[in-house]
Short mmCIF file of all heavy atoms in Angstrom, two decimals:
data_model
loop_
_atom_site.label_atom_id
_atom_site.label_comp_id
_atom_site.label_asym_id
_atom_site.label_seq_id
_atom_site.Cartn_x
_atom_site.Cartn_y
_atom_site.Cartn_z
N MET A 1 -66.58 1.91 -35.08
CA MET A 1 -66.59 2.64 -36.36
C MET A 1 -67.16 4.04 -36.14
O MET A 1 -68.17 4.22 -35.48
CB MET A 1 -67.46 1.88 -37.38
CG MET A 1 -67.55 2.59 -38.72
SD MET A 1 -68.72 1.77 -39.83
CE MET A 1 -67.83 0.26 -40.17
N ALA A 2 -66.50 5.03 -36.69
CA ALA A 2 -66.97 6.41 -36.54
C ALA A 2 -68.28 6.60 -37.28
O ALA A 2 -68.50 6.01 -38.34
CB ALA A 2 -65.92 7.37 -37.10
N LYS A 3 -69.14 7.42 -36.70
CA LYS A 3 -70.43 7.70 -37.31
C LYS A 3 -70.57 9.19 -37.56
O LYS A 3 -70.23 10.00 -36.70
CB LYS A 3 -71.56 7.25 -36.37
CG LYS A 3 -71.57 5.75 -36.09
CD LYS A 3 -72.68 5.41 -35.14
CE LYS A 3 -72.68 3.91 -34.83
NZ LYS A 3 -73.75 3.54 -33.88
N PRO A 4 -71.11 9.56 -38.73
CA PRO A 4 -71.33 10.99 -38.98
C PRO A 4 -72.58 11.46 -38.25
O PRO A 4 -73.54 10.70 -38.09
CB PRO A 4 -71.53 11.04 -40.49
CG PRO A 4 -72.10 9.71 -40.84
CD PRO A 4 -71.48 8.72 -39.86
N VAL A 5 -72.53 12.67 -37.78
CA VAL A 5 -73.69 13.27 -37.12
C VAL A 5 -73.93 14.65 -37.73
O VAL A 5 -73.00 15.35 -38.12
CB VAL A 5 -73.49 13.40 -35.60
CG1 VAL A 5 -73.50 12.03 -34.94
CG2 VAL A 5 -72.22 14.15 -35.26
N VAL A 6 -75.21 15.02 -37.84
CA VAL A 6 -75.60 16.32 -38.35
C VAL A 6 -76.07 17.19 -37.19
O VAL A 6 -76.91 16.76 -36.39
CB VAL A 6 -76.74 16.20 -39.39
CG1 VAL A 6 -77.24 17.58 -39.82
CG2 VAL A 6 -76.27 15.41 -40.60
N ASP A 7 -75.53 18.39 -37.11
CA ASP A 7 -75.98 19.35 -36.10
C ASP A 7 -77.18 20.12 -36.67
O ASP A 7 -77.02 20.93 -37.59
CB ASP A 7 -74.85 20.32 -35.76
CG ASP A 7 -75.22 21.27 -34.63
OD1 ASP A 7 -76.43 21.48 -34.39
OD2 ASP A 7 -74.30 21.82 -34.01
N PRO A 8 -78.38 19.86 -36.15
CA PRO A 8 -79.58 20.50 -36.71
C PRO A 8 -79.60 22.01 -36.50
O PRO A 8 -80.34 22.72 -37.19
CB PRO A 8 -80.73 19.81 -35.96
CG PRO A 8 -80.11 19.34 -34.69
CD PRO A 8 -78.69 18.99 -35.01
N ASP A 9 -78.80 22.49 -35.58
CA ASP A 9 -78.74 23.94 -35.36
C ASP A 9 -77.92 24.63 -36.44
O ASP A 9 -78.03 25.85 -36.61
CB ASP A 9 -78.13 24.25 -33.99
CG ASP A 9 -79.04 23.81 -32.85
OD1 ASP A 9 -80.27 23.81 -33.04
OD2 ASP A 9 -78.51 23.48 -31.77
N LEU A 10 -77.11 23.86 -37.16
CA LEU A 10 -76.26 24.44 -38.21
C LEU A 10 -76.77 24.13 -39.61
O LEU A 10 -76.60 24.92 -40.54
CB LEU A 10 -74.82 23.92 -38.08
CG LEU A 10 -74.07 24.33 -36.81
CD1 LEU A 10 -72.68 23.68 -36.79
CD2 LEU A 10 -73.93 25.84 -36.74
N CYS A 11 -77.41 22.95 -39.80
CA CYS A 11 -77.85 22.52 -41.12
C CYS A 11 -78.83 23.52 -41.72
O CYS A 11 -79.76 23.98 -41.07
CB CYS A 11 -78.52 21.15 -41.01
SG CYS A 11 -79.19 20.54 -42.57
N THR A 12 -78.59 23.86 -43.01
CA THR A 12 -79.47 24.79 -43.73
C THR A 12 -80.36 24.06 -44.71
O THR A 12 -81.14 24.69 -45.44
CB THR A 12 -78.64 25.83 -44.49
OG1 THR A 12 -77.82 25.15 -45.44
CG2 THR A 12 -77.77 26.64 -43.55
N GLY A 13 -80.25 22.73 -44.78
CA GLY A 13 -81.10 21.95 -45.68
C GLY A 13 -80.72 22.07 -47.14
O GLY A 13 -81.58 21.93 -48.01
N CYS A 14 -79.44 22.26 -47.43
CA CYS A 14 -79.01 22.45 -48.82
C CYS A 14 -79.04 21.16 -49.63
O CYS A 14 -78.95 21.19 -50.85
CB CYS A 14 -77.61 23.05 -48.85
SG CYS A 14 -76.31 21.86 -48.46
N GLU A 15 -79.09 20.02 -48.96
CA GLU A 15 -79.18 18.69 -49.59
C GLU A 15 -77.89 18.20 -50.21
O GLU A 15 -77.87 17.17 -50.86
CB GLU A 15 -80.33 18.62 -50.62
CG GLU A 15 -81.68 18.95 -50.01
CD GLU A 15 -82.84 18.68 -50.94
OE1 GLU A 15 -82.69 17.81 -51.82
OE2 GLU A 15 -83.90 19.30 -50.77
N SER A 16 -76.80 18.92 -50.04
CA SER A 16 -75.53 18.50 -50.61
C SER A 16 -75.12 17.13 -50.10
O SER A 16 -74.70 16.26 -50.87
CB SER A 16 -74.45 19.53 -50.27
OG SER A 16 -73.17 19.05 -50.63
N CYS A 17 -75.25 16.91 -48.80
CA CYS A 17 -74.81 15.62 -48.24
C CYS A 17 -75.67 14.47 -48.75
O CYS A 17 -75.17 13.36 -48.94
CB CYS A 17 -74.83 15.68 -46.72
SG CYS A 17 -76.42 16.13 -45.99
N VAL A 18 -76.95 14.72 -48.99
CA VAL A 18 -77.84 13.68 -49.51
C VAL A 18 -77.45 13.35 -50.95
O VAL A 18 -77.49 12.18 -51.36
CB VAL A 18 -79.31 14.14 -49.43
CG1 VAL A 18 -80.24 13.07 -49.99
CG2 VAL A 18 -79.68 14.45 -47.98
N ASP A 19 -77.06 14.35 -51.71
CA ASP A 19 -76.61 14.11 -53.08
C ASP A 19 -75.34 13.28 -53.11
O ASP A 19 -75.16 12.39 -53.93
CB ASP A 19 -76.35 15.44 -53.80
CG ASP A 19 -77.63 16.18 -54.14
OD1 ASP A 19 -78.70 15.54 -54.15
OD2 ASP A 19 -77.56 17.39 -54.41
N ILE A 20 -74.43 13.58 -52.18
CA ILE A 20 -73.11 12.92 -52.16
C ILE A 20 -73.20 11.53 -51.56
O ILE A 20 -72.59 10.58 -52.06
CB ILE A 20 -72.11 13.78 -51.37
CG1 ILE A 20 -71.82 15.09 -52.12
CG2 ILE A 20 -70.81 13.01 -51.11
CD1 ILE A 20 -71.04 16.11 -51.30
N CYS A 21 -73.95 11.36 -50.50
CA CYS A 21 -73.97 10.11 -49.75
C CYS A 21 -75.40 9.72 -49.36
O CYS A 21 -75.77 9.73 -48.19
CB CYS A 21 -73.09 10.30 -48.51
SG CYS A 21 -72.38 8.78 -47.87
N PRO A 22 -76.22 9.37 -50.36
CA PRO A 22 -77.65 9.10 -50.10
C PRO A 22 -77.90 7.86 -49.26
O PRO A 22 -78.99 7.70 -48.72
CB PRO A 22 -78.24 8.97 -51.50
CG PRO A 22 -77.11 8.57 -52.37
CD PRO A 22 -75.90 9.26 -51.79
N GLU A 23 -76.90 6.98 -49.15
CA GLU A 23 -77.09 5.79 -48.31
C GLU A 23 -77.10 6.16 -46.83
O GLU A 23 -77.66 5.44 -46.01
CB GLU A 23 -75.97 4.76 -48.56
CG GLU A 23 -75.92 4.21 -49.96
CD GLU A 23 -75.14 5.10 -50.91
OE1 GLU A 23 -74.60 6.12 -50.46
OE2 GLU A 23 -75.08 4.77 -52.11
N VAL A 24 -76.47 7.26 -46.53
CA VAL A 24 -76.29 7.66 -45.12
C VAL A 24 -77.23 8.79 -44.72
O VAL A 24 -77.86 8.74 -43.67
CB VAL A 24 -74.83 8.09 -44.86
CG1 VAL A 24 -74.68 8.65 -43.46
CG2 VAL A 24 -73.89 6.90 -45.09
N PHE A 25 -77.33 9.82 -45.58
CA PHE A 25 -78.09 11.01 -45.21
C PHE A 25 -79.44 11.04 -45.92
O PHE A 25 -79.59 10.55 -47.05
CB PHE A 25 -77.30 12.28 -45.60
CG PHE A 25 -75.97 12.39 -44.92
CD1 PHE A 25 -74.82 11.97 -45.57
CD2 PHE A 25 -75.86 12.90 -43.64
CE1 PHE A 25 -73.57 12.06 -44.95
CE2 PHE A 25 -74.63 12.99 -43.00
CZ PHE A 25 -73.49 12.56 -43.66
N GLU A 26 -80.42 11.63 -45.24
CA GLU A 26 -81.75 11.78 -45.82
C GLU A 26 -82.33 13.10 -45.33
O GLU A 26 -82.07 13.54 -44.21
CB GLU A 26 -82.64 10.63 -45.37
CG GLU A 26 -84.02 10.63 -46.01
CD GLU A 26 -84.74 9.34 -45.71
OE1 GLU A 26 -85.31 9.22 -44.62
OE2 GLU A 26 -84.74 8.44 -46.58
N MET A 27 -83.13 13.74 -46.20
CA MET A 27 -83.80 14.96 -45.79
C MET A 27 -85.04 14.60 -44.97
O MET A 27 -85.86 13.79 -45.38
CB MET A 27 -84.20 15.80 -47.00
CG MET A 27 -83.04 16.28 -47.86
SD MET A 27 -81.74 17.10 -46.92
CE MET A 27 -82.63 18.57 -46.37
N GLY A 28 -85.16 15.21 -43.80
CA GLY A 28 -86.30 14.94 -42.94
C GLY A 28 -87.47 15.84 -43.26
O GLY A 28 -87.37 16.78 -44.06
N ASP A 29 -88.59 15.56 -42.63
CA ASP A 29 -89.79 16.36 -42.83
C ASP A 29 -89.60 17.81 -42.39
O ASP A 29 -90.32 18.70 -42.82
CB ASP A 29 -90.96 15.76 -42.04
CG ASP A 29 -91.40 14.42 -42.62
OD1 ASP A 29 -91.10 14.17 -43.81
OD2 ASP A 29 -92.03 13.63 -41.89
N ASP A 30 -88.60 18.04 -41.53
CA ASP A 30 -88.33 19.40 -41.07
C ASP A 30 -87.43 20.16 -42.03
O ASP A 30 -87.05 21.30 -41.77
CB ASP A 30 -87.69 19.36 -39.67
CG ASP A 30 -86.41 18.54 -39.63
OD1 ASP A 30 -85.99 18.02 -40.69
OD2 ASP A 30 -85.84 18.40 -38.53
N GLY A 31 -87.07 19.53 -43.17
CA GLY A 31 -86.25 20.21 -44.16
C GLY A 31 -84.77 20.17 -43.84
O GLY A 31 -83.97 20.82 -44.51
N LEU A 32 -84.41 19.41 -42.83
CA LEU A 32 -83.01 19.29 -42.45
C LEU A 32 -82.52 17.87 -42.69
O LEU A 32 -83.30 16.92 -42.67
CB LEU A 32 -82.84 19.65 -40.96
CG LEU A 32 -83.31 21.03 -40.54
CD1 LEU A 32 -83.15 21.20 -39.04
CD2 LEU A 32 -82.59 22.13 -41.30
N SER A 33 -81.23 17.75 -42.90
CA SER A 33 -80.64 16.44 -43.11
C SER A 33 -80.53 15.68 -41.79
O SER A 33 -80.28 16.27 -40.74
CB SER A 33 -79.25 16.60 -43.72
OG SER A 33 -78.56 15.38 -43.73
N TRP A 34 -80.72 14.36 -41.87
CA TRP A 34 -80.45 13.52 -40.70
C TRP A 34 -79.75 12.25 -41.18
O TRP A 34 -79.78 11.91 -42.37
CB TRP A 34 -81.75 13.19 -39.95
CG TRP A 34 -82.72 12.33 -40.70
CD1 TRP A 34 -83.47 12.71 -41.78
CD2 TRP A 34 -83.04 10.96 -40.44
NE1 TRP A 34 -84.25 11.67 -42.20
CE2 TRP A 34 -84.00 10.57 -41.39
CE3 TRP A 34 -82.60 10.04 -39.50
CZ2 TRP A 34 -84.53 9.28 -41.43
CZ3 TRP A 34 -83.14 8.74 -39.54
CH2 TRP A 34 -84.09 8.39 -40.49
N VAL A 35 -79.09 11.59 -40.25
CA VAL A 35 -78.34 10.38 -40.57
C VAL A 35 -79.25 9.17 -40.40
O VAL A 35 -79.59 8.78 -39.28
CB VAL A 35 -77.10 10.26 -39.66
CG1 VAL A 35 -76.36 8.96 -39.95
CG2 VAL A 35 -76.18 11.45 -39.86
N LYS A 36 -79.66 8.59 -41.52
CA LYS A 36 -80.60 7.46 -41.45
C LYS A 36 -79.87 6.13 -41.27
O LYS A 36 -80.45 5.18 -40.76
CB LYS A 36 -81.48 7.41 -42.70
CG LYS A 36 -80.73 7.10 -44.00
CD LYS A 36 -81.68 6.96 -45.17
CE LYS A 36 -80.93 6.68 -46.48
NZ LYS A 36 -81.84 6.53 -47.61
N ASN A 37 -78.63 6.06 -41.75
CA ASN A 37 -77.89 4.80 -41.63
C ASN A 37 -76.40 5.10 -41.49
O ASN A 37 -75.66 5.11 -42.47
CB ASN A 37 -78.14 3.93 -42.85
CG ASN A 37 -77.56 2.53 -42.67
OD1 ASN A 37 -76.82 2.26 -41.72
ND2 ASN A 37 -77.88 1.64 -43.58
N PRO A 38 -75.94 5.36 -40.28
CA PRO A 38 -74.54 5.78 -40.08
C PRO A 38 -73.53 4.72 -40.47
O PRO A 38 -72.36 5.05 -40.71
CB PRO A 38 -74.48 6.08 -38.58
CG PRO A 38 -75.59 5.30 -37.98
CD PRO A 38 -76.69 5.29 -39.02
N ASN A 39 -73.95 3.48 -40.56
CA ASN A 39 -72.99 2.42 -40.88
C ASN A 39 -72.91 2.11 -42.37
O ASN A 39 -72.27 1.14 -42.77
CB ASN A 39 -73.34 1.15 -40.10
CG ASN A 39 -73.19 1.35 -38.61
OD1 ASN A 39 -72.22 1.96 -38.17
ND2 ASN A 39 -74.14 0.86 -37.84
N ALA A 40 -73.55 2.93 -43.20
CA ALA A 40 -73.53 2.69 -44.63
C ALA A 40 -72.34 3.35 -45.30
O ALA A 40 -72.20 3.31 -46.52
CB ALA A 40 -74.82 3.19 -45.27
N CYS A 41 -71.46 3.96 -44.51
CA CYS A 41 -70.38 4.76 -45.10
C CYS A 41 -69.08 3.97 -45.18
O CYS A 41 -68.01 4.51 -44.94
CB CYS A 41 -70.16 6.03 -44.29
SG CYS A 41 -69.71 5.76 -42.57
N ASN A 42 -69.16 2.71 -45.54
CA ASN A 42 -67.96 1.89 -45.57
C ASN A 42 -66.94 2.34 -46.62
O ASN A 42 -65.77 2.00 -46.53
CB ASN A 42 -68.34 0.42 -45.85
CG ASN A 42 -69.03 -0.20 -44.65
OD1 ASN A 42 -68.80 0.22 -43.52
ND2 ASN A 42 -69.89 -1.16 -44.90
N ASN A 43 -67.39 3.08 -47.60
CA ASN A 43 -66.47 3.55 -48.63
C ASN A 43 -65.91 4.93 -48.32
O ASN A 43 -65.24 5.53 -49.14
CB ASN A 43 -67.16 3.58 -49.99
CG ASN A 43 -67.50 2.18 -50.46
OD1 ASN A 43 -66.74 1.24 -50.25
ND2 ASN A 43 -68.65 2.04 -51.10
N CYS A 44 -66.19 5.41 -47.10
CA CYS A 44 -65.67 6.70 -46.65
C CYS A 44 -66.17 7.88 -47.48
O CYS A 44 -65.56 8.95 -47.49
CB CYS A 44 -64.14 6.72 -46.60
SG CYS A 44 -63.50 5.70 -45.27
N ASP A 45 -67.29 7.69 -48.18
CA ASP A 45 -67.87 8.82 -48.90
C ASP A 45 -68.33 9.91 -47.94
O ASP A 45 -68.46 11.05 -48.31
CB ASP A 45 -69.07 8.37 -49.73
CG ASP A 45 -68.63 7.58 -50.94
OD1 ASP A 45 -67.50 7.78 -51.41
OD2 ASP A 45 -69.42 6.75 -51.40
N CYS A 46 -68.58 9.54 -46.71
CA CYS A 46 -69.05 10.53 -45.74
C CYS A 46 -68.04 11.63 -45.51
O CYS A 46 -68.41 12.76 -45.20
CB CYS A 46 -69.40 9.87 -44.42
SG CYS A 46 -70.98 9.04 -44.48
N GLN A 47 -66.77 11.33 -45.67
CA GLN A 47 -65.78 12.41 -45.51
C GLN A 47 -66.00 13.45 -46.60
O GLN A 47 -65.84 14.65 -46.36
CB GLN A 47 -64.36 11.84 -45.58
CG GLN A 47 -63.28 12.88 -45.27
CD GLN A 47 -63.45 13.47 -43.87
OE1 GLN A 47 -63.48 12.74 -42.89
NE2 GLN A 47 -63.57 14.79 -43.76
N GLU A 48 -66.36 12.99 -47.79
CA GLU A 48 -66.65 13.94 -48.87
C GLU A 48 -67.87 14.78 -48.51
O GLU A 48 -67.90 15.99 -48.76
CB GLU A 48 -66.88 13.18 -50.17
CG GLU A 48 -67.01 14.10 -51.38
CD GLU A 48 -67.21 13.31 -52.67
OE1 GLU A 48 -67.00 12.09 -52.67
OE2 GLU A 48 -67.61 13.94 -53.66
N ALA A 49 -68.88 14.14 -47.94
CA ALA A 49 -70.08 14.87 -47.52
C ALA A 49 -69.73 15.89 -46.45
O ALA A 49 -70.20 17.04 -46.48
CB ALA A 49 -71.14 13.90 -47.00
N ILE A 50 -68.90 15.50 -45.51
CA ILE A 50 -68.47 16.42 -44.45
C ILE A 50 -67.71 17.60 -45.06
O ILE A 50 -67.97 18.76 -44.73
CB ILE A 50 -67.59 15.67 -43.43
CG1 ILE A 50 -68.45 14.73 -42.59
CG2 ILE A 50 -66.83 16.66 -42.54
CD1 ILE A 50 -67.66 13.81 -41.68
N ASP A 51 -66.80 17.30 -45.97
CA ASP A 51 -65.97 18.36 -46.55
C ASP A 51 -66.78 19.32 -47.40
O ASP A 51 -66.40 20.48 -47.56
CB ASP A 51 -64.85 17.75 -47.40
CG ASP A 51 -63.82 17.00 -46.56
OD1 ASP A 51 -63.80 17.22 -45.33
OD2 ASP A 51 -63.06 16.21 -47.14
N ASN A 52 -67.90 18.84 -47.95
CA ASN A 52 -68.68 19.67 -48.86
C ASN A 52 -69.87 20.36 -48.20
O ASN A 52 -70.57 21.13 -48.87
CB ASN A 52 -69.16 18.84 -50.05
CG ASN A 52 -68.05 18.63 -51.06
OD1 ASN A 52 -67.74 19.50 -51.85
ND2 ASN A 52 -67.41 17.48 -51.00
N CYS A 53 -70.12 20.10 -46.94
CA CYS A 53 -71.19 20.81 -46.25
C CYS A 53 -70.80 22.28 -46.12
O CYS A 53 -69.77 22.59 -45.54
CB CYS A 53 -71.44 20.20 -44.87
SG CYS A 53 -72.68 21.12 -43.93
N PRO A 54 -71.60 23.18 -46.65
CA PRO A 54 -71.21 24.60 -46.68
C PRO A 54 -71.16 25.26 -45.31
O PRO A 54 -70.53 26.31 -45.15
CB PRO A 54 -72.28 25.25 -47.57
CG PRO A 54 -73.45 24.34 -47.48
CD PRO A 54 -72.88 22.96 -47.33
N VAL A 55 -71.82 24.65 -44.34
CA VAL A 55 -71.84 25.28 -43.00
C VAL A 55 -71.18 24.39 -41.94
O VAL A 55 -71.31 24.64 -40.74
CB VAL A 55 -73.29 25.63 -42.58
CG1 VAL A 55 -73.86 26.71 -43.48
CG2 VAL A 55 -74.18 24.39 -42.60
N GLU A 56 -70.47 23.36 -42.41
CA GLU A 56 -69.75 22.45 -41.51
C GLU A 56 -70.66 21.88 -40.41
O GLU A 56 -70.29 21.82 -39.24
CB GLU A 56 -68.53 23.16 -40.90
CG GLU A 56 -67.54 23.61 -41.96
CD GLU A 56 -66.28 24.26 -41.38
OE1 GLU A 56 -66.08 24.17 -40.16
OE2 GLU A 56 -65.52 24.85 -42.16
N ALA A 57 -71.85 21.47 -40.84
CA ALA A 57 -72.82 20.93 -39.88
C ALA A 57 -72.61 19.44 -39.60
O ALA A 57 -73.21 18.91 -38.67
CB ALA A 57 -74.24 21.15 -40.41
N ILE A 58 -71.78 18.78 -40.40
CA ILE A 58 -71.56 17.34 -40.23
C ILE A 58 -70.20 17.10 -39.61
O ILE A 58 -69.21 17.71 -40.00
CB ILE A 58 -71.63 16.59 -41.58
CG1 ILE A 58 -72.85 17.04 -42.39
CG2 ILE A 58 -71.66 15.08 -41.35
CD1 ILE A 58 -72.82 16.53 -43.82
N SER A 59 -70.18 16.21 -38.65
CA SER A 59 -68.90 15.86 -38.04
C SER A 59 -68.91 14.37 -37.71
O SER A 59 -69.96 13.71 -37.79
CB SER A 59 -68.68 16.69 -36.77
OG SER A 59 -69.73 16.46 -35.85
N TRP A 60 -67.77 13.85 -37.34
CA TRP A 60 -67.70 12.47 -36.86
C TRP A 60 -68.03 12.44 -35.39
O TRP A 60 -67.52 13.26 -34.62
CB TRP A 60 -66.31 11.89 -37.10
CG TRP A 60 -65.96 11.71 -38.54
CD1 TRP A 60 -65.01 12.38 -39.24
CD2 TRP A 60 -66.56 10.80 -39.46
NE1 TRP A 60 -64.98 11.95 -40.54
CE2 TRP A 60 -65.91 10.98 -40.71
CE3 TRP A 60 -67.57 9.85 -39.36
CZ2 TRP A 60 -66.26 10.23 -41.83
CZ3 TRP A 60 -67.92 9.12 -40.49
CH2 TRP A 60 -67.26 9.31 -41.71
N GLU A 61 -68.89 11.51 -35.05
CA GLU A 61 -69.28 11.37 -33.65
C GLU A 61 -68.04 11.09 -32.78
O GLU A 61 -67.22 10.26 -33.13
CB GLU A 61 -70.26 10.19 -33.53
CG GLU A 61 -70.91 10.04 -32.19
CD GLU A 61 -71.92 8.91 -32.20
OE1 GLU A 61 -71.49 7.74 -32.33
OE2 GLU A 61 -73.11 9.18 -32.11
N ALA A 62 -67.96 11.81 -31.69
CA ALA A 62 -66.79 11.65 -30.81
C ALA A 62 -66.82 10.31 -30.11
O ALA A 62 -67.88 9.77 -29.85
CB ALA A 62 -66.75 12.76 -29.80
S1 SF4 B 101 -74.65 19.44 -46.56
FE1 SF4 B 101 -74.75 20.34 -44.49
S2 SF4 B 101 -76.21 22.08 -44.64
FE2 SF4 B 101 -76.49 20.78 -46.46
S3 SF4 B 101 -78.19 19.40 -45.91
FE3 SF4 B 101 -76.26 18.34 -45.41
S4 SF4 B 101 -75.84 18.80 -43.24
FE4 SF4 B 101 -77.38 20.27 -43.99
#
């Protein structure tokens, strides 16, 4: 199963992905998003989170 990954060098901490897919993404203490549960995206909401990230920091793990 594909897993979403956040590139911390690109993430600006806008929290959009956490709003869209809170089961998968969480804001870390560093103010950046991280993937807390990559397997929670069974409804494919993560694609919406990927599409809505303003800096394209989220991608599917290769
Ligand atoms: S939507 Fe993109 S820039 Fe915003 S918190 Fe998530 S990964 Fe970071």
Side-chain angles (χ1 to χ4, degrees):
M1 178 186 291
K3 298 178 181 179
V5 291
V6 174
D7 185 338
D9 292 331
L10 295 177
C11 177
T12 61
C14 76
E15 302 189 26
S16 172
C17 56
V18 179
D19 287 342
I20 293 169
C21 206
E23 297 85 2
V24 174
F25 300 97
E26 185 170 81
M27 298 309 294
D29 292 338
D30 57 2
L32 303 177
S33 170
W34 66 289
V35 177
K36 66 176 179 179
N37 189 350
N39 295 318
C41 60
N42 289 332
N43 294 323
C44 289
D45 287 334
C46 282
Q47 187 59 56
E48 187 179 347
I50 288 172
D51 292 344
N52 282 281
C53 176
V55 294
E56 299 183 12
I58 314 169
S59 59
W60 293 113
E61 188 177 68

